[in-house]
Amino acid sequence: MKSSTRKRRGPTQAELADRHVCYEGAVQDVVTEIDFIEETWGSLRERPLELLREDFCGTANTSCEWVRRGDHHRAIGVDLDPEVLGWGRVHHVETLEPEQRARIRLVQADVRDGTTEAPDAVLAMNFSYWLFMDRDGMRAYFKSVCDNLIADGIFFLDAYGGYEAPMELEEKRECDGYTYVWEQVSFNPIDSRMKCAIHFEFPDGSRIQDAFLYEWRLWTLPELREILLEAGFRKATVYWEGTDEETGEGDGIYTPSEIGDADPGWVCYLIAEK
Ligand SMILES: C[S@@+](CC[C@H](N)C(=O)[O-])C[C@H]1O[C@@H](n2cnc3c(N)ncnc32)[C@H](O)[C@@H]1O
């Protein structure tokens, strides 16, 4: 029998890949993130940080890093999506030591619901809170965090901007075995709403299109600081990244600042103190 010219090929690299593994490898650096949280807490408070609530926790990678770091560290990860929480349980929580696992709890809930125990710190990272589209919605979320935090609690957020932030563009970055693609699909200057997507490309030419999709409002730092204060926080400070003298690039050191640089693209932290 004549052999078929159409050979049945195995699965593509995109079919074999796990989008959560690709996301974590491309987007997250939980060690550096927790370093910043520990250092900042240490510079602002004289007692140790113990209970951390990670909002929009996704796979709870950051919460797991927190409980690994110290015997008294406890974490509550909150996310609406049971699929992503289930993935985090299998791939992160179950790899912890039993004693560490006893100090972490993943909750499927809306971040605005709060938790019964008041956390020392709440984290909202990777801009997830930008899904709140108007000031009232954002203030309601910030107020729920402020009300839920312990008396001297701290809310850690990140933000990005720069003159490339409202552009429709695509950026690629090489990762270990794949290419991370960040696409700013659309931006409406009238309401500042944007659609963004993450895709992953593989050496065999295959691609995970729309691995993650986001609909956000592009918020500015003055708006966010004003709303944090309106929601009841005493202080809202921007921690801006310093510049490496030799390369002219960011040096990874974030300090309290009132003046930033008019960069094409920047990422900073916002620290809101109760
Ligand atoms: C960008 S992802 C998580 C990013 C993660 N925090 C990180 O640092 O990489 C956003 C997550 O927010 C969750 N989410 C969206 N709305 C939510 C809400 N109102 N309450 C809780 N989780 C929510 C989604 O299910 C999704 O897993």
Side-chain angles (χ1 to χ4, degrees):
M1 203 169 103
K2 200 176 159 193
S3 68
S4 166
T5 48
R6 266 208 204 153
K7 280 199 184 135
R8 188 184 170 82
R9 290 184 307 173
T12 64
Q13 288 175 313
E15 284 164 348
L16 291 173
D18 183 321
R19 68 185 186 124
H20 296 301
V21 172
C22 295
Y23 174 88
E24 290 185 353
V27 173
Q28 292 190 320
D29 180 354
V30 295
V31 171
T32 306
E33 192 169 297
I34 290 292
D35 283 347
F36 173 75
I37 283 152
E38 278 199 305
E39 281 164 23
T40 307
W41 178 276
S43 71
L44 297 172
R45 297 288 179 267
E46 287 180 0
R47 65 179 187 86
L49 165 55
E50 290 188 355
L51 179 59
L52 180 144
R53 183 182 113 197
E54 184 191 4
D55 280 357
F56 312 100
C57 69
T59 60
N61 202 8
T62 306
S63 293
C64 288
E65 176 60 18
W66 177 246
V67 300
R68 270 194 300 267
R69 284 280 180 109
D71 296 345
H72 298 286
H73 290 185
R74 293 180 296 129
I76 303 172
V78 184
D79 201 287
L80 269 182
D81 182 358
E83 186 268 331
V84 74
L85 288 174
W87 195 97
R89 275 197 192 93
V90 171
H91 293 85
H92 293 310
V93 178
E94 285 172 18
T95 65
L96 295 171
E97 302 291 330
E99 179 280 323
Q100 295 170 335
R101 217 178 299 152
R103 293 187 274 109
I104 184 168
R105 196 155 57 85
L106 302 191
V107 182
Q108 188 196 336
D110 192 298
V111 291
R112 291 164 291 191
D113 293 346
T115 45
T116 38
E117 192 179 359
D120 295 318
V122 174
L123 264 59
M125 293 297 180
N126 268 320
F127 330 111
S128 311
Y129 65 101
W130 285 8
L131 56 84
F132 298 118
M133 295 292 189
D134 57 30
R135 290 182 74 101
D136 286 349
M138 191 60 92
R139 193 184 309 103
Y141 168 54
F142 287 171
K143 185 173 183 326
S144 73
V145 173
C146 191
D147 292 348
N148 195 212
L149 275 168
I150 207 158
D152 63 346
I154 300 181
F155 185 24
F156 293 81
L157 311 99
D158 59 8
Y160 78 89
Y163 54 81
E164 284 182 355
M167 287 170 67
E168 293 170 355
L169 55 74
E170 195 175 90
E171 280 173 2
K172 295 190 181 189
R173 181 158 41 82
E174 288 311 311
C175 296
D176 193 8
Y178 60 96
T179 305
Y180 162 79
V181 185
W182 170 253
E183 187 184 2
Q184 291 170 191
V185 180
S186 64
F187 176 76
N188 178 358
I190 294 179
D191 58 14
S192 213
R193 287 185 185 207
M194 62 194 305
K195 288 193 175 136
C196 302
I198 291 176
H199 321 290
F200 300 112
E201 292 175 350
F202 298 88
D204 67 356
S206 60
R207 176 178 169 103
I208 305 180
Q209 175 72 23
D210 296 336
F212 296 92
L213 292 170
Y214 305 106
E215 289 197 33
W216 284 338
R217 169 163 163 179
L218 181 63
W219 290 89
T220 66
L221 291 173
E223 288 170 317
L224 293 168
R225 291 177 90 184
E226 285 162 16
I227 301 168
L228 284 162
L229 297 181
E230 288 165 15
F233 286 97
R234 186 168 56 78
K235 209 171 165 189
T237 309
V238 172
Y239 279 56
W240 194 261
E241 191 177 13
T243 306
D244 185 306
E245 297 281 308
E246 278 178 18
T247 63
E249 301 289 318
D251 63 3
I253 300 168
Y254 294 81
T255 51
S257 310
E258 284 299 331
I259 298 175
D261 308 300
D263 287 336
W266 48 258
V267 174
C268 72
Y269 290 105
L270 266 165
I271 307 300
E273 294 177 67
K274 191 162 164 176

